[in-house]
């Protein structure tokens, strides 16, 4: 079992690998990508259930997603989602930690907990025959947490370890800093626990957080490769820990600048403005704009200047190694759009200025038709490649179901992408790029300009 | 009364005998509770590790006081002795849980 952490975005990372690992994976995905036969209903306790059956693959995946994430933390609960995530393998009301582990290993299943800033996803992968035990393990781990005080104390070390691992990665720290400066609270809360909270999470605190936030309307269970009646039957005895309704505080974008000097050879910086939420009608056009600007090299080990405008621009400003990519992070009601750049410490100023001027030129001079066409193809290809993997498909369905209430099929998404015109892209560029900027920088910042020197 | 964990009807003569035996025991005169005196097997050691901080601190205090009194071959004044009604079997739930976990492990490892 593992507890992973990812951040949600439709197109943030280009998956260049087409997964041809096993026939089962491919067949599972072809059924799933079309989303034919996706059935959605509500359990008597109020939880949404969705299932997509597939007869060709012996693997079933079930995801229990709760709209609980760092976004909902109060200022005295920082990092509690991190603690919640690492305590997935601990004793719950119906099984001890030992029993949970042994049941799962006995049926050869994987149970993991993934946290995004808005959602907590408990995912189970197992064979279809073992679903009864698998789903009972999943439901007990996700909704019947017992939070035994001595086990919570044991997982504090794990929290400290994960935070230390993140501390070693400037790119991860950059993302956290960027969100913090852009949103302050709600979406600005970090995915990882701050050091002043290590050892401070108590059983009562966690229980209170779960009872407040794990409510029926903010939870959904999605099954891939399992029939609807079967899934509903397994979930009959599920009880929801929370009650009452708890509306999310709207994410307010503030903007600003944060810098962290740690020395070294390289500098990492990200500059963004407020993007669009996933429910915004222009969100697809913004994805196209992201690909117009450039999402990194499309050919492995190439320098990418043929594919990416900003790599081309930065490549003309410096001859030393660098990397830059356009960021488009989408949450349910807000987003971040901009770029990040990594360069040698002495070259950072030139690189940032070159990339910024490229963004500026899009708002002034517009975009070329062929760039828009290329970008649309890339968006569609990226979405299609991501849906090759069953776990991506189910996580995508889970997040859409919670934030929008409906799930968009791949054909619908492709149609939306095809309907984006050059004017849409230019309009959304003008709307988004001219917003208030936020900047985060970490590394050797000796020549990295401040935000006011760049704008 | 903490003597009977379950709600079992205990005959009056049994209760009287229990009270007399309790007051004749040494440990209440040192201010200890019964669970303070349990021999520390592995199970009991694990259960003690799981005590909440305040319960553990109270246990430590009673044991320290008892050791001091015992060293001086002294006891507490009669009105400060632990009374059978106040004696709480605080460690039993934790012991039961540890035992249960061990049984589960044993069952699984049998197969």
């Amino acid at each position: 079992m593992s507890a992973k952490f990812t951040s949600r975005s439709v197109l943030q990372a280009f998956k260049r690998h087409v997964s041809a690992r096993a026939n089962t994976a491919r067949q599972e995905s072809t059924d799933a990508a079309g989303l034919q036969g996706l059935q959605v209903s509500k359990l008597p306790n109020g939880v949404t259930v969705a299932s997509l059956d597939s007869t060709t693959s012996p693997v079933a995946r079930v995801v229990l997603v709760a709209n609980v994430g760092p976004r909902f933390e109060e200022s005295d609960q920082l990092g509690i989602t991190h603690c919640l995530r690492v305590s997935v393998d601990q004793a719950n009301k119906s099984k001890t930690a030992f029993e949970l582990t042994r049941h799962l290993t006995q049926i050869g299943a994987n149970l993991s907990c993934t946290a995004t800033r808005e959602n907590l996803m408990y995912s189970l992968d197992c064979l279809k025959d073992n679903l009864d035990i698998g789903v009972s393990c999943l439901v007990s781990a996700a909704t019947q947490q017992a939070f035994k005080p001595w086990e919570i104390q044991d997982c504090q070390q794990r929290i400290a370890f994960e935070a230390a691992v993140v501390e070693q990665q400037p790119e991860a720290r950059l993302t956290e800093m960027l969100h913090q400066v852009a949103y302050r609270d709600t979406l600005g809360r970090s995915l990882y626990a701050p050091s002043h909270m290590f050892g401070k999470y108590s059983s009562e605190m966690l229980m209170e957080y779960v009872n407040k936030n794990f409510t029926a309307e903010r939870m959904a269970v999605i099954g891939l490769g399992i029939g609807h009646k079967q899934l509903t039957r397994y979930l009959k005895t599920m009880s929801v820990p929370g009650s009452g309704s708890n509306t999310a505080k709207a994410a307010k974008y503030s903007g600003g600048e944060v810098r962290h000097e740690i020395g070294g050879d390289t500098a990492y910086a990200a500059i963004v403005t407020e993007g669009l939420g996933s429910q915004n009608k222009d969100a697809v056009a913004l994805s196209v704009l992201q690909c117009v600007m450039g999402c990194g090299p499309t050919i492995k080990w190439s320098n990418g200047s043929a594919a990416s405008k900003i790599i081309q621009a930065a490549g003309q400003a410096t001859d030393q190694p660098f990397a830059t990519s356009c960021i488009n992070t989408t949450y349910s009601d807000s987003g971040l759009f901009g770029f990040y750049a990594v360069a040698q410490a002495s070259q950072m100023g030139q690189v940032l200025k070159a990339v910024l001027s490229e963004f500026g030129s899009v708002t002034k001079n517009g975009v070329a038709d062929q760039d828009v066409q290329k970008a649309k193809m890339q968006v569609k290809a990226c979405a299609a490649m991501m849906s090759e993997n069953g776990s991506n498909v189910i996580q995508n369905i889970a997040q859409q179901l919670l934030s929008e209430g409906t799930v968009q099929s791949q054909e619908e998404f492709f149609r939306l992408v095809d309907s984006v015109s050059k004017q849409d892209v230019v309009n959304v560029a003008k709307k988004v790029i001219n917003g208030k900027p936020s900047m985060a920088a970490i590394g050797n910042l000796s020549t990295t300009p401040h935000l006011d020197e760049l704008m | 009364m903490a003597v009977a964990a379950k709600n079992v009807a205990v005959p009056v003569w049994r209760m009287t005998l229990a009270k007399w035996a309790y007051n004749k025991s040494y440990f209440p005169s040192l201010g200890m509770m019964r669970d303070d005196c349990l021999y520390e097997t592995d199970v009991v050691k694990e259960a003690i590790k799981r005590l909440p901080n305040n319960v553990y601190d109270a246990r430590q205090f009673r044991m320290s006081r008892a050791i001091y009194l015992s060293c001086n071959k002294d006891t507490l004044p009669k009105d400060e002795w632990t009374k059978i009604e106040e004696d709480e079997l605080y460690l039993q739930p934790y012991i039961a849980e540890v035992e249960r976990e061990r049984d589960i492990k044993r069952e699984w490892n049998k197969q």
Side-chain angles (χ1 to χ4, degrees):
Chain A
M1 275 185 293
S2 63
K4 308 178 291 189
F5 33 88
T6 58
S7 68
R8 190 241 176 171
S9 146
V10 173
L11 286 180
Q12 188 154 16
F14 249 140
K15 293 233 165 160
R16 263 148 281 167
H17 267 335
V18 175
S19 164
R21 274 174 239 140
N23 266 332
T24 49
R26 238 200 311 230
Q27 279 161 331
E28 184 190 14
S29 66
T30 336
D31 294 349
L35 291 182
Q36 285 120 0
L38 178 75
Q39 289 177 284
V40 183
S41 70
K42 256 197 158 71
L43 286 177
N45 58 21
V47 173
T48 316
V49 183
S51 74
L52 187 56
D53 206 350
S54 115
T55 45
T56 49
S57 163
V59 170
R61 296 176 202 270
V62 184
V63 163
L64 190 152
V65 60
N67 187 16
V68 177
R71 179 178 184 155
F72 301 95
E73 288 171 8
E74 306 290 330
S75 49
D76 55 348
Q77 293 174 325
L78 293 181
I80 203 167
T81 323
H82 188 181
C83 191
L84 207 57
R85 171 168 62 76
V86 304
S87 60
V88 67
D89 61 343
Q90 291 174 349
N92 48 60
K93 293 188 184 126
S94 63
K95 293 183 170 58
T96 63
F98 173 80
E99 277 186 293
L100 185 64
T101 318
R102 287 300 281 260
H103 272 302
L104 288 170
T105 51
Q106 195 78 0
I107 61 175
N110 284 329
L111 176 67
S112 68
C113 184
T114 311
T116 69
R117 273 174 226 278
E118 291 188 298
N119 295 324
L120 208 55
M121 289 182 275
Y122 296 86
S123 354
L124 172 86
D125 308 327
C126 68
L127 294 178
K128 283 181 181 171
D129 312 324
N130 300 321
L131 269 172
D132 48 352
I133 303 178
V135 176
S136 85
C137 286
L138 172 70
V139 169
S140 63
T143 60
Q144 294 174 348
Q145 298 101 328
F147 298 129
K148 303 262 190 251
W150 54 92
E151 290 191 337
I152 300 294
Q153 279 312 308
D154 290 341
C155 81
Q156 301 299 304
Q157 277 231 334
R158 171 89 189 263
I159 294 174
F161 170 72
E162 288 190 1
V165 167
V166 170
E167 191 75 10
Q168 296 298 314
Q169 297 172 358
E171 317 81 42
R173 287 175 74 184
L174 187 69
T175 318
E176 300 300 312
M177 283 160 62
L178 187 66
H179 280 85
Q180 190 188 13
V181 79
Y183 290 109
R184 298 186 191 159
D185 58 1
T186 66
L187 286 170
R189 298 261 191 250
S190 175
L191 284 167
Y192 311 106
S195 55
H196 65 83
M197 288 296 284
F198 295 162
K200 300 257 173 57
Y201 298 109
S202 69
S203 182
E204 294 83 27
M205 209 175 167
L206 286 158
M207 209 66 236
E208 193 196 319
Y209 186 70
V210 165
N211 288 339
K212 184 156 171 238
N213 290 298
F214 275 64
T215 59
E217 69 247 10
R218 285 163 67 182
M219 287 170 73
V221 182
I222 297 97
L224 197 62
I226 170 173
H228 203 74
K229 271 216 279 282
Q230 194 186 5
L231 185 60
T232 323
R233 190 166 24 102
Y234 291 141
L235 298 174
K236 226 176 10 186
T237 52
M238 175 170 142
S239 67
V240 174
S243 54
S245 67
N246 191 15
T247 47
K249 201 166 131 187
K252 198 161 96 58
Y253 176 87
S254 335
E257 183 181 358
V258 66
R259 295 162 72 96
H260 198 77
E261 176 74 53
I262 55 172
D265 299 322
T266 45
Y268 303 74
I271 304 183
V272 293
T273 55
E274 188 177 12
L276 300 172
S278 60
Q279 308 196 29
N280 193 305
K281 56 178 173 54
D282 293 323
V284 180
L286 197 59
S287 301
V288 174
L289 179 63
Q290 182 194 12
C291 285
V292 167
M293 298 313 297
C295 273
T298 48
I299 298 171
K300 232 176 179 175
W301 315 125
S302 78
N303 75 341
S305 53
S308 164
K309 277 176 122 173
I310 52 179
I311 292 184
Q312 209 168 25
Q316 283 163 356
T318 175
D319 55 359
Q320 295 193 22
F322 69 93
T324 174
S325 168
C326 181
I327 306 175
N328 178 20
T329 315
T330 322
Y331 298 105
S332 57
D333 57 352
S334 180
L336 296 175
F337 181 84
F339 71 95
Y340 79 78
V342 183
Q344 302 301 305
S346 56
Q347 310 291 309
M348 198 53 167
Q350 288 122 283
V351 168
L352 287 180
K353 288 197 178 90
V355 177
L356 272 173
S357 68
E358 194 64 36
F359 273 85
S361 84
V362 166
T363 56
K364 286 193 216 76
N365 312 330
V367 290
D369 272 318
Q370 62 185 25
D371 285 340
V372 174
Q373 275 312 109
K374 173 205 84 165
K376 279 157 74 163
M377 288 316 314
Q378 281 183 335
V379 170
K380 292 201 292 197
C382 181
M385 287 183 211
M386 295 241 268
S387 70
E388 287 276 301
N389 184 341
S391 67
N392 279 341
V393 171
I394 200 171
Q395 290 194 358
N396 184 24
I397 297 177
Q399 297 197 70
Q400 283 192 45
L401 208 56
L402 272 192
S403 63
E404 276 118 67
T406 54
V407 182
Q408 202 179 52
S409 74
Q410 201 170 82
E411 284 94 46
E412 281 173 60
F413 179 66
F414 280 13
R415 234 178 303 126
L416 280 175
V417 174
D418 284 329
S419 69
V420 167
S421 69
K422 187 170 96 158
Q423 197 50 47
D424 291 335
V425 175
V426 174
N427 289 345
V428 83
K430 289 205 179 106
K431 188 164 83 166
V432 167
I433 295 176
N434 291 329
K436 183 156 178 237
S438 305
M439 178 173 173
I442 188 170
N444 183 338
L445 304 179
S446 45
T447 66
T448 310
H450 290 257
L451 196 56
D452 49 8
E453 294 162 9
L454 283 168
M455 291 290 148
Chain B
M1 203 158 314
V3 179
K6 306 175 218 161
N7 272 342
V8 184
V10 182
V12 178
W13 66 264
R14 186 100 187 254
M15 281 313 311
T16 327
L17 189 61
K19 247 197 235 174
W20 176 83
Y22 190 86
N23 289 331
K24 274 275 169 261
S25 316
Y26 182 37
F27 68 87
S29 68
L30 298 178
M32 293 218 283
M33 294 193 188
R34 195 212 75 176
D35 277 349
D36 298 338
C37 308
L38 285 177
Y39 181 68
E40 285 194 14
T41 61
D42 286 336
V43 171
V44 173
K45 279 203 186 109
E46 179 61 38
I48 292 167
K49 267 201 217 130
R50 297 184 180 192
L51 285 174
N53 282 344
N54 53 339
V55 180
Y56 179 75
D57 289 343
R59 174 194 159 91
Q60 272 308 113
F61 169 74
R62 286 193 300 272
M63 287 167 71
S64 308
R65 183 179 58 183
I67 290 170
Y68 171 79
L69 289 168
S70 171
C71 282
N72 294 340
K73 303 198 185 206
D74 196 5
T75 57
L76 289 175
K78 190 78 194 290
D79 51 340
E80 286 180 33
W81 287 17
T82 325
K83 301 184 187 44
I84 195 170
E85 302 85 30
E86 293 166 357
D87 192 325
E88 201 198 327
L89 302 180
Y90 57 87
L91 206 51
Q92 292 311 311
Y94 298 96
I95 291 177
E97 201 170 344
V98 174
E99 291 266 323
R100 185 176 153 256
E101 286 178 14
R102 286 179 168 231
D103 288 340
I104 291 171
K105 261 203 187 120
R106 222 183 345 252
E107 280 302 313
W108 274 92
N109 287 331
K110 257 193 218 163
Q111 296 158 4

